[in-house]
Amino acid sequence: MSVDKSLSANELQDFGGVDGNYTELTRALLKQQKTVWKQLASGYESLETVHVREFQFDGFSMKVQFNPGRIISSSAKVDTKSIKERKCFLCIENLPPDQKGIAYGSEYLILCNPFPIFPEHYTIPNVHHVPQRIDSAFDVMLDLSKDIGKDYTVFYNGPKCGASAPDHLHFQAGNKGFMLIEDQFDGLKSSFGECILDTGELLITAIDDSLRRFIGVESKNKKLIEVVFKKFYDTYAAHNGNAEEPMMNIISYFLPDKGMWRILFIPRGKHRPSHYFLEGDDKILLSPASVDFGGILITPVEKDFNRLTSEHIIEMFNEVSLSKPVFENLMVQFKKALEK
Ligand SMILES: [Zn+2]
């Protein structure tokens, strides 16, 4: 990694950085970057003006955020040709001169996201230009969600599920509890959950709240979670026949008081809902990824923000989630894989 892109704990000391404490260093990085990097500062200024609407569903709620700063990301062209033709914005050599980060291990760099959704929003790319694939990076996701877990939640958008750099491996992180699903998880689990496995050390629950269908995995044991991930991934890949990566979003957060991880695996039926592709007034620019599944729906278009109804939301999530029969079938296969 080119040394000039990573700030040391010493350099972040004045901003609250504490050597060895990734949560504090990460927060200090944002403070430092706001003082030197104009684009970031203006991204956070524009975040102050976002509008929010809340929608109640049966047993949970979702918020819609009108965030004009997200237009680039929400409408990003992620087809192979467009990706090949643009300069990769996560490669170190292409970062703006004022953008600096914190080295996370030898392979990752914690960076500030200049188009924030969260009050504090980070992107954590690999230092190499390697494709967005979770199978060999999942253990890093677990470590990272623990290391910054006091205040931040980590998430992953698959290459065809919302990642705006499908060609460059990266995670994102934002303030813990900002995504409504985190606080609503226990309620969702008891109202809509079906226990897939409970060993005392490991709890796996399939949840279908009639909009979203996903799996919650809870454990203190990192190795066990990795085994579960591998079994889920292989089952889903076989089920799905997708050569690249079975479509999914992942939300991972650590509960320090319980000493355990909670990971939400969100398998996907489609990348974008049909409303995204409609013409004229019928088009709704909302392309769900982890944060939207987490209960914070982002639209950069004011007109869409104003006219969005709960019926739209129900329809869109049902389109991009796995369908009920496909999800149920996947859970049958997953259970079998877990018994082996
Ligand atoms: Zn790159």
Side-chain angles (χ1 to χ4, degrees):
M1 189 196 309
S2 53
V3 185
D4 63 334
K5 277 298 170 193
S6 100
L7 293 172
S8 67
N10 253 349
E11 290 170 284
L12 290 170
Q13 213 170 21
D14 290 348
F15 300 91
V18 179
D19 202 6
N21 182 330
Y22 279 110
T23 301
E24 299 307 331
L25 284 173
T26 299
R27 173 157 299 130
L29 174 73
L30 180 61
K31 286 186 187 159
Q32 190 275 349
Q33 288 280 276
K34 278 182 181 173
T35 65
V36 295
W37 183 20
K38 282 210 178 71
Q39 190 194 6
L40 183 76
S42 81
Y44 275 93
E45 266 164 38
S46 117
L47 187 65
E48 307 263 311
T49 67
V50 301
H51 294 257
V52 176
R53 289 176 67 194
E54 186 154 1
F55 290 84
Q56 291 298 326
F57 296 96
D58 182 20
F60 62 97
S61 61
M62 286 181 156
K63 284 181 181 170
V64 181
Q65 185 188 91
F66 164 50
N67 187 334
R70 296 292 299 178
I71 187 78
I72 296 169
S73 180
S74 296
S75 57
K77 287 202 166 80
V78 288
D79 59 283
T80 315
K81 186 171 175 283
S82 309
I83 289 295
K84 270 196 181 139
E85 285 170 358
R86 64 106 169 89
K87 255 190 180 180
C88 176
F89 59 90
L90 294 180
C91 274
I92 289 178
E93 61 269 27
N94 299 333
L95 298 180
D98 295 327
Q99 187 172 23
K100 296 277 168 74
I102 305 164
Y104 182 70
S106 55
E107 295 265 279
Y108 290 84
L109 193 62
I110 300 176
L111 296 172
C112 298
N113 187 323
F115 308 109
I117 292 169
F118 297 79
E120 298 172 67
H121 192 160
Y122 304 92
T123 306
I124 303 99
N126 193 285
V127 294
H128 303 292
H129 186 78
V130 292
Q132 180 80 327
R133 298 285 182 275
I134 191 60
D135 53 350
S136 57
F138 183 68
D139 65 320
V140 178
M141 188 175 188
L142 292 180
D143 288 336
L144 181 64
S145 37
K146 185 179 180 183
D147 287 339
I148 60 172
K150 193 173 139 272
D151 294 329
Y152 304 110
T153 293
V154 178
F155 52 99
Y156 170 84
N157 292 327
K160 288 193 170 140
C161 304
S164 41
D167 54 341
H168 193 130
L169 178 58
H170 66 285
F171 303 106
Q172 291 183 69
N175 303 75
K176 207 166 185 174
F178 186 79
M179 287 189 272
L180 304 185
I181 204 165
E182 294 175 40
D183 286 341
Q184 294 172 355
F185 181 81
D186 285 325
L188 290 170
K189 195 164 76 169
S190 60
S191 305
F192 310 109
E194 189 209 325
C195 180
I196 299 288
L197 183 73
D198 183 359
T199 67
E201 220 189 331
L202 174 71
L203 179 59
I204 307 177
T205 314
I207 297 170
D208 176 355
D209 66 16
S210 80
L211 273 74
R212 302 168 290 194
R213 284 167 275 279
F214 60 99
I215 299 142
V217 176
E218 296 166 89
S219 180
K220 295 177 180 178
N221 185 326
K222 188 187 160 199
K223 283 278 161 278
L224 271 182
I225 300 172
E226 288 182 280
V227 171
V228 168
F229 168 72
K230 175 95 179 83
K231 290 191 174 185
F232 171 69
Y233 187 99
D234 290 346
T235 308
Y236 185 28
H239 195 265
N240 184 280
N242 189 319
E244 203 170 46
E245 171 171 300
M247 289 169 76
M248 69 177 110
N249 300 104
I250 305 174
I251 296 172
S252 168
Y253 53 107
F254 191 75
L255 305 170
D257 50 333
K258 294 182 178 163
M260 76 171 199
W261 282 270
R262 185 177 282 157
I263 297 105
L264 313 180
F265 293 111
I266 308 160
R268 296 283 300 265
K270 273 209 285 186
H271 176 201
R272 285 169 165 162
S274 57
H275 306 73
Y276 188 93
F277 301 101
L278 296 175
E279 299 287 333
D281 282 351
D282 294 326
K283 182 180 173 87
I284 298 177
L285 202 66
L286 202 155
S287 182
S290 293
V291 177
D292 310 80
F293 274 88
I296 304 290
L297 285 60
I298 308 298
T299 178
V301 178
E302 189 165 22
K303 176 174 65 80
D304 296 348
F305 172 78
N306 288 328
R307 71 197 180 95
L308 203 69
T309 62
S310 42
E311 286 72 29
H312 284 132
I313 297 174
I314 293 169
E315 234 176 84
M316 287 195 279
F317 275 92
N318 272 292
E319 283 185 13
V320 296
S321 294
L322 272 195
S323 72
K324 197 177 174 65
V326 174
F327 182 71
E328 284 172 357
N329 187 262
L330 176 63
M331 288 308 101
V332 171
Q333 306 298 327
F334 182 37
K335 261 188 200 171
K336 279 187 197 157
L338 289 165
E339 283 160 11
K340 279 179 201 160

